Amino acid sequence: MSLKREDLLKIYRMMLLSRTTEERMVEYHKHTPLTELPHSGIGQEAVAIGTVYDLRKEDLILPSLRTRGAFLAKGISSRTMMSGAFAKVTGAARGKNTSHHMGDIRAGVIAGTGVVAGHLPVGLGIALAAKLQKKDYIAVVYFGDGASNRGDVHESMNMAAVMKLGIVFVCENNGYAISTPASFHSSVPDLAIRAQGYGMPGVIVDGNDVLAVYEAAQTAYDRAREGEGPTFIECKTYRWRGHSERDPRDLRSADEIEAWKTKCPIKRLKDYLLQDKLADEKTLNEIQCEVTAEVDDAIAFAESSPYPPAEEALLHVYAEGGIKDE
Ligand SMILES: Cc1ncc(C[n+]2csc(CCOP(=O)(O)OP(=O)(O)O)c2C)c(N)n1
Ligand SMILES: [Mg+2]
């Protein structure tokens, strides 16, 4: 494994930052509803961080609504992200979009869409552009198990494989699409086997093991950059909270949720670091303190930031110059 101690500590920090940011958004929303309705990815942090760590600046990611850590790991600041949740002008979309589907092209994050899987063909277009430009930047698209049944996913997989495009399909299989179990919406338990039908590798990974996710991602990225085509990575994971904060008491059993909590991806990395004596409790506590301070600062910044002025209502909505009457 090419990851050094410093890398592992950075990965640990990013996972904690993602977790803490989301926990605080959820907590804040309970008392003062945010403009954003949190759809948290708490419990799924290893997928986002394991796949984004070591991506290049010029690579483009297209996150799903769960891939919160990906925004942070790709370089969007906590302040920008939190401001997005508050719909403040300091957010990435200057208050026009919450951090739910946020993007920031400067960090290589393409804004999402409310149409589940609608971003897959966009990722495909990015990978096609890279090929036409003879460049080796890649696109990484994230989508859930429910989304994996949409036509956009299948059409994108087919075209990507036929044209050997530099795109990686990361399926975050958390077992549910809102309240529908994966066994109800898909005829196969392992979604990765569908990759075979398109002639690309389909890899199944423990999505709560950040190091396994990282390894699978690196193999897929090498392949994508070398012009060998796409890979489908299915990360088996679980979301701890309801689909959104609107349904905190979803239909899943408490036992099931508790069982998955014992497989916490952050605790797993922490245990590894401690057991292999790569870090001690003191170092890890210091990281937690740093992260808490960063999130406190982000909240204070977002609270004190202004909403966008009314004059900006049409800014960045239409192309400069408007639509010409012919
Ligand atoms: C085309 C479309 N159908 C339905 C919805 C409503 N919807 C939003 S998220 C979601 C579930 C997605 O499940 P999954 O892909 O497994 O992602 P997860 O929420 O589990 O991360 C649904 C049905 C939508 N936004 N777009
Ligand atoms: Mg799901």
Side-chain angles (χ1 to χ4, degrees), residues 39-40 44 64-67 100-101 113-118 143-150 152 172-180 185 239 243:
H39 288 62
S40 103
Q44 302 188 196
S64 80
L65 76 174
R66 296 290 160 215
T67 335
H100 191 62
H101 294 303
T113 144
V115 182
V116 161
F143 52 98
D145 46 285
S148 76
N149 297 318
R150 297 260 305 152
D152 303 69
E172 306 161 286
N173 186 351
N174 60 12
Y176 290 87
I178 305 188
S179 52
T180 307
H185 67 59
R239 64 170 154 74
H243 174 72

Side-chain angles (χ1 to χ4, degrees), residues 50-276:
T51 50
V52 174
Y53 195 77
D54 267 356
L55 267 183
R56 299 180 187 168
K57 192 162 177 18
E58 63 271 24
D59 295 329
L60 292 158
I61 64 167
L62 297 94
S64 80
L65 76 174
R66 296 290 160 215
T67 335
R68 284 312 170 80
F71 298 126
L72 296 162
K74 194 73 174 66
I76 294 182
S77 75
S78 306
R79 283 184 167 195
T80 303
M81 184 153 163
M82 200 58 84
S83 297
F86 284 66
K88 297 294 183 75
V89 74
T90 42
R94 296 189 64 81
K96 288 198 178 63
N97 192 356
T98 61
S99 56
H100 191 62
H101 294 303
M102 75 185 281
D104 191 336
I105 194 69
R106 292 162 298 187
V109 183
I110 305 295
T113 144
V115 182
V116 161
H119 57 303
L120 273 277
V122 179
L124 186 79
I126 289 168
L128 178 57
K131 184 172 179 129
L132 294 174
Q133 294 163 353
K134 301 194 186 335
K135 301 231 168 109
D136 73 348
Y137 66 88
I138 59 170
V140 185
V141 287
Y142 299 84
F143 52 98
D145 46 285
S148 76
N149 297 318
R150 297 260 305 152
D152 303 69
V153 175
H154 293 269
E155 291 172 29
S156 300
M157 284 170 68
N158 183 55
M159 185 165 161
V162 168
M163 299 189 76
K164 292 198 182 312
L165 300 182
I167 180 169
V168 176
F169 297 89
V170 180
C171 180
E172 306 161 286
N173 186 351
N174 60 12
Y176 290 87
I178 305 188
S179 52
T180 307
S183 56
F184 275 46
H185 67 59
S186 295
S187 55
V188 286
D190 296 325
L191 303 173
I193 68 162
R194 291 172 174 174
Q196 271 183 37
Y198 296 104
M200 71 173 85
V203 184
I204 300 171
V205 188
D206 178 342
N208 283 15
D209 178 351
V210 71
L211 305 183
V213 173
Y214 173 84
E215 290 295 328
Q218 294 308 306
T219 305
Y221 297 164
D222 288 347
R223 187 181 141 81
R225 283 190 214 288
E226 281 158 20
E228 291 168 25
T231 302
F232 184 105
I233 304 176
E234 178 186 1
C235 300
K236 307 263 194 198
T237 185
Y238 197 81
R239 64 170 154 74
W240 289 10
R241 301 195 62 80
H243 174 72
S244 78
E245 292 309 303
R246 201 180 281 143
D247 70 321
R249 288 185 298 280
D250 56 52
L251 302 175
R252 302 171 305 169
S253 77
D255 286 350
E256 182 180 293
I257 298 171
E258 287 313 309
W260 272 93
K261 283 188 179 175
T262 64
K263 301 181 199 168
C264 172
I266 300 181
K267 183 173 181 307
R268 184 160 176 168
L269 180 58
K270 182 177 180 177
D271 289 347
Y272 174 78
L273 291 168
L274 292 173
Q275 272 159 25
D276 280 35

